[in-house]
Amino acid sequence: MTTTVAPGSHDTVTDSPIRPAVLFRLATAGGRADRIRTALTAASSALAAVTLLAAATVAAIPEGDALYRIEMIARGEQRAAVIAALLLVAVPILVLAGQSIRFGSPGRDRRFALLRLVGATPGQAVRLAVWETVLAATLGSAVGLGLYLTWRAVLDRPAQDGSRALPTDVLPSMVMMGSVLLLVPMLTAIGAMILLRPVIVTPLGVVRRVRDRRPAGWPGLLIIGGVLAPVVVDPFGGWLLGNADEAEPGPGLAALTLAAVVLLATAGVLIGSGWIAYTAGELLQRFGRRPALLLAGRRLTADPWSGSRLHAALFAALIVGAGASSVRAYVVAMQDAGDRMADLSGRPPIPGGEYHLNPITLIDLAVAVVIGLAAAGILVALAEGITTRRRVYAAQVAAGVPRRVLGEAIAWQALGPAVPAVVISLTLGWSIVRSLGSTVTVGEVDEPGLRVTVPIEVPVGDLLLLGGGAVAALALVAGIGVLLLRMNTDLEEIRVG
């Protein structure tokens, strides 16, 4: 930082870079909360690095079948599903690593305010926060590489026939491994910069800009379109597919129509998470009669964007999971129709049903992991919000508001917009496959008149399990938030800066 004084002008401060040695010392300083934040960021980065290195290892397997005891890795045509599932899991882990910058923010805010008092610029303070995250993420990437190499050596136990449980005999190229190790801290730093955009560091404390404008309503129209997709697109898509033999553009037009509806509705759910929270807050204020409902509704309408990215990740996982359940129902119906046709025609049934269900089972496991990681990120955001507003909560308790009411308001704030969004996401994911039709028809080429039609059952059990798991995870997050509220509503917090 340099200060330039010109005659007849005001002092101007230029935002010059901090020397690397000083930046490293400042980034590694701090108290217990800073050490916990560094450990959380490093652990998330290590897990992300291991996941990405595992995906790179599967991608490095030569084409064709190989001697591995896990069928999906052994078969070349199913490895793409394994890679996609690993990448799906890596995304929320990286989001959690970037989200960790929120942890312990009050103590860090006081430290940054002190730096501003001694002459640091706002840009230098924010750069220091990002540098802390980069150092922790780089450390985590190095730890992840060590864990990956260790597990690779420990698990490399070939059987007598030469088969292995995992592809421990394959190693990604050095360029790929280096790219992964650099990608993790880079993406973590980008996430940290996005989270620090509304932060203004002043000598008297940290101010966070909050968007006070109402969310746009056009995502709501896309969401309504996604909910109505099974009703509108089902007969329309069936009519287009039914006329595919008579009109050449039929299949292309059907696929284009279905893809457009699904993509627009999915974009509405992901982009419109702020609109969902704002609408839920308005409904709570209009129809709520209890103080907790009114407090939660006011908080949602005042800041509907809080945690919107993490909620979007959760909703995306639910859409993928519901779509995978619908695909499973479609494959089961297709297998059933094929078995019935084999019985009628006197031919042996075609095996391989479990072969097609293996990728779907892997996607289900990936979705479960993503839901857990998204819930962890939402917990970090909720804890940061409670800690930031602890003086407001303490003042409300001092004014006579029961802690039970504040805890109930936090629970409604977490679950109010999430429950309808979970239902919408499941409906949209189910409609992705359902819009193609509600039945499966199988016929014989030699006998055009012989056809078997089987209805595609709605995977109610899978959808309830998926939605119930997401709501249970959010309820657990809300419960932990209530416990944190009790720890941050002491009357001493009114005087503590």
Side-chain angles (χ1 to χ4, degrees):
M1 184 193 69
T2 60
T3 304
T4 305
V5 181
S9 65
H10 297 286
D11 295 349
T12 59
V13 179
T14 60
D15 190 10
S16 61
I18 308 176
R19 288 181 298 175
V22 177
L23 195 61
F24 179 81
R25 286 187 59 189
L26 293 175
T28 54
R32 183 181 63 179
D34 299 290
R35 290 192 292 270
I36 294 176
R37 179 176 62 251
T38 301
L40 182 60
T41 305
S44 303
S45 301
L47 186 58
V50 171
T51 305
L52 292 176
L53 288 173
T57 302
V58 177
I61 299 176
E63 296 183 1
D65 296 343
L67 285 176
Y68 299 117
R69 291 193 287 274
I70 299 179
E71 184 180 8
M72 294 191 63
I73 300 178
R75 294 181 177 271
E77 61 271 17
Q78 289 193 351
R79 289 180 198 137
V82 178
I83 298 173
L86 290 172
L87 294 178
L88 178 65
V89 172
V91 172
I93 300 176
L94 291 170
V95 173
L96 179 60
Q99 188 78 7
S100 300
I101 197 174
R102 292 175 175 265
F103 189 85
S105 56
R108 186 192 60 208
D109 293 347
R110 289 192 295 268
R111 184 156 54 92
F112 287 166
L114 290 175
L115 291 175
R116 290 282 285 118
L117 282 174
V118 298
T121 64
Q124 289 173 337
V126 172
R127 194 179 307 125
L128 176 60
V130 175
W131 187 247
E132 289 179 354
T133 305
V134 171
L135 287 179
T138 304
L139 176 62
S141 294
V143 173
L145 176 61
L147 292 175
Y148 167 77
L149 296 176
T150 302
W151 290 342
R152 181 175 179 273
V154 170
L155 298 177
D156 189 16
R157 296 291 185 269
Q160 295 182 354
D161 58 352
S163 63
R164 290 175 169 84
L166 295 173
T168 52
D169 58 332
V170 179
L171 192 67
S173 64
M174 298 301 296
V175 175
M176 178 63 69
M177 296 177 65
S179 301
V180 169
L181 297 179
L182 292 177
L183 183 66
V184 171
M186 185 184 304
L187 294 179
T188 304
I190 292 174
M193 287 188 291
I194 292 175
L195 291 175
L196 290 174
R197 277 191 310 170
V199 172
I200 303 175
V201 183
T202 69
L204 300 179
V206 174
V207 180
R208 288 172 173 80
R209 292 187 295 261
V210 178
R211 288 184 284 184
D212 55 355
R213 61 181 178 85
R214 177 175 179 172
W218 61 267
L221 298 177
L222 299 181
I223 293 173
I224 295 174
V227 174
L228 297 179
V231 180
V232 178
V233 183
D234 189 0
F236 183 56
W239 177 81
L240 289 174
L241 294 176
N243 292 275
D245 296 334
E246 302 176 4
E248 183 68 23
L253 183 59
L256 182 62
T257 304
L258 298 176
V261 172
V262 169
L263 290 177
L264 289 177
T266 303
V269 173
L270 301 183
I271 300 174
S273 56
W275 177 84
I276 295 174
Y278 188 89
T279 304
E282 283 192 330
L283 293 176
L284 289 176
Q285 291 184 86
R286 178 170 300 181
F287 300 104
R289 294 296 180 265
R290 303 175 60 183
L293 298 179
L294 298 177
L295 285 174
R298 185 66 185 92
R299 177 63 63 183
L300 288 172
T301 54
D303 187 15
W305 310 102
S306 177
S308 59
R309 297 182 184 91
L310 294 167
H311 283 93
L314 176 64
F315 302 152
L318 291 175
I319 292 173
V320 173
S325 299
S326 301
V327 171
R328 179 185 288 105
Y330 176 83
V331 172
V332 170
M334 182 69 72
Q335 185 69 22
D336 188 16
D339 293 342
R340 295 185 183 183
M341 176 59 65
D343 293 339
L344 293 176
S345 60
R347 298 180 181 179
I350 301 176
E354 294 295 330
Y355 172 80
H356 298 287
L357 294 178
N358 286 335
I360 302 175
T361 303
L362 183 61
I363 292 176
D364 289 340
L365 294 175
V367 167
V369 174
V370 170
I371 291 175
L373 293 172
I378 294 173
L379 175 60
V380 173
L382 180 62
E384 190 268 344
I386 293 174
T387 307
T388 303
R389 294 188 292 270
R390 68 193 188 282
R391 299 182 66 183
V392 176
Y393 289 133
Q396 289 176 336
V397 172
V401 179
R403 287 188 175 89
R404 176 184 55 81
V405 174
L406 295 178
E408 187 178 346
I410 289 178
W412 276 104
Q413 183 182 345
L415 296 176
V419 172
V422 167
V423 176
I424 292 172
S425 301
L426 294 177
T427 303
L428 178 59
W430 167 70
S431 66
I432 292 175
V433 178
R434 188 70 172 182
S435 57
L436 289 172
S438 57
T439 60
V440 171
T441 301
V442 176
E444 287 286 342
V445 179
D446 300 335
E447 303 180 26
L450 184 59
R451 292 179 178 271
V452 173
T453 300
V454 175
I456 302 176
E457 297 183 359
V458 179
V460 178
D462 294 341
L463 296 180
L464 288 177
L465 181 62
L466 190 61
V471 173
L474 293 175
L476 179 61
V477 168
I480 298 176
V482 173
L483 295 178
L484 293 175
L485 177 68
R486 292 184 176 273
M487 299 169 55
N488 288 273
T489 52
D490 292 334
L491 298 183
E492 291 294 331
E493 296 292 345
I494 300 178
R495 296 186 298 170
V496 176

